Each structure stands twice: as C-alpha cells, then as structure tokens.
Amino acid sequence: MNDGARPIEVLLVEDDPGDVLLTTEAFEHNKVANKLHVVNDGEQAMAFLRREGGYEGAPRPDLMLLDLNLPRKDGREVLGEVKADEDLRSIPVVVLTTSEADEDILRSYHLHANAYVTKPVDFEQFVSVVRRIDDFFVTVVKLPR
C-alpha cells in the first residue's frame, strides 16, 4: 500500500497517441498524484529503464503499463528483457493491449507479466480500466522501494 509518502512512478509504453491521451486523462482524474512517464516504442522503453540515451535522469518506475504491439522493439521482447534483467525484474508489468489472443495472454504470463488487461474500445470503459489498475497498485499492492 502506498502510504502517500511519494507518488508512484508509472511508465506507459504505448505507441497509439489516442491511448496515451486516454491513459493520461485517467491518471489525471484519479485521486492520487502519480507520475506518468510515456515512451512510444520498445527501444525507448529499455533506454528509459536502463537510464540511457537521453533518459539518464529517468526515475525507476514502480509500475510499467506495456502495450504488446510496438514499433522498433515488440512489447513481448521488452517484457522478456525486463524480467530477465536482475535490476529490472522486480518492476511490476501490466500488459495493457488490444490483443485477446490466447497465445499473447499465455506468452505474456510465461514471460512473467504481473497482469494482462485487454483495452476496452469504449472511452469510458478504457478510462475506468486504467483507473482500476492505478487504484489497485496504489491502494492494494505493496510495491518495492
């Protein structure tokens, strides 16, 4: 449980500008002042996480929201690299994607995703889902410091 001592640092890895906007709005309307950082492809995600290539001052995320279908480096590759990295594997990763394919769900969990959430098409439902993810990781889950 976040005791309010500091906001949660969230990394959103998403290439769809519309989904970035919806996620940003969902976070802005939430009760907790979490910090949302956005990168648009898998290579940027890994640079952010490793604090390389212009992301030297980036904070360590407390939570990552990861789309699977990304340019330059696929979300599945990012998930595999994160969970194989001794320094990064403790970061909870929620796959947030449009794919409902059993293969993607099974592979994501095989790669140690902490949760798999399918993006709703409806605006209100999408915002509600993002808020619930945020609420869960802020009020229920104990995150590593």
Side-chain angles (χ1 to χ4, degrees):
M1 179 181 294
N2 183 20
D3 57 10
R6 68 177 179 86
I8 301 297
E9 302 283 350
V10 180
L11 176 60
L12 173 63
V13 187
E14 174 61 67
D15 65 318
D16 183 313
D19 288 349
V20 169
L21 181 62
L22 290 176
T23 306
T24 302
E25 287 179 6
F27 270 80
E28 287 174 355
H29 288 99
N30 213 340
K31 299 175 283 298
V32 180
N34 292 332
K35 294 184 180 176
L36 184 66
H37 307 274
V38 180
V39 294
N40 304 116
D41 65 50
E43 287 186 7
Q44 288 178 358
M46 294 313 300
F48 186 100
L49 291 167
R50 292 183 174 137
R51 297 178 178 135
E52 301 169 344
Y55 295 103
E56 286 79 6
R60 178 183 173 86
D62 298 299
L63 173 65
M64 182 165 59
L65 303 178
L66 177 66
D67 187 23
L68 289 182
N69 302 310
L70 297 168
R72 297 177 67 201
K73 183 180 290 227
D74 188 77
R76 295 157 195 84
E77 293 176 77
V78 172
L79 179 59
E81 284 185 41
V82 167
K83 294 303 181 177
D85 188 304
E86 185 76 28
D87 295 327
L88 302 175
R89 73 172 54 139
S90 64
I91 298 170
V93 177
V94 175
V95 173
L96 184 61
T97 188
T98 55
S99 175
E100 295 183 29
D102 287 342
E103 177 184 321
D104 284 334
I105 296 168
L106 289 170
R107 182 153 182 227
S108 293
Y109 283 122
H110 179 74
L111 292 170
H112 305 290
N114 297 84
Y116 190 101
V117 179
T118 303
K119 294 177 193 173
V121 181
D122 175 79
F123 169 79
E124 290 299 326
Q125 288 180 341
F126 184 94
V127 171
S128 176
V129 163
V130 172
R131 285 182 187 162
R132 281 187 262 161
I133 292 168
D134 187 43
D135 283 341
F136 180 72
F137 279 94
V138 170
T139 62
V140 178
V141 174
K142 183 75 174 171
L143 295 171
R145 296 270 177 202

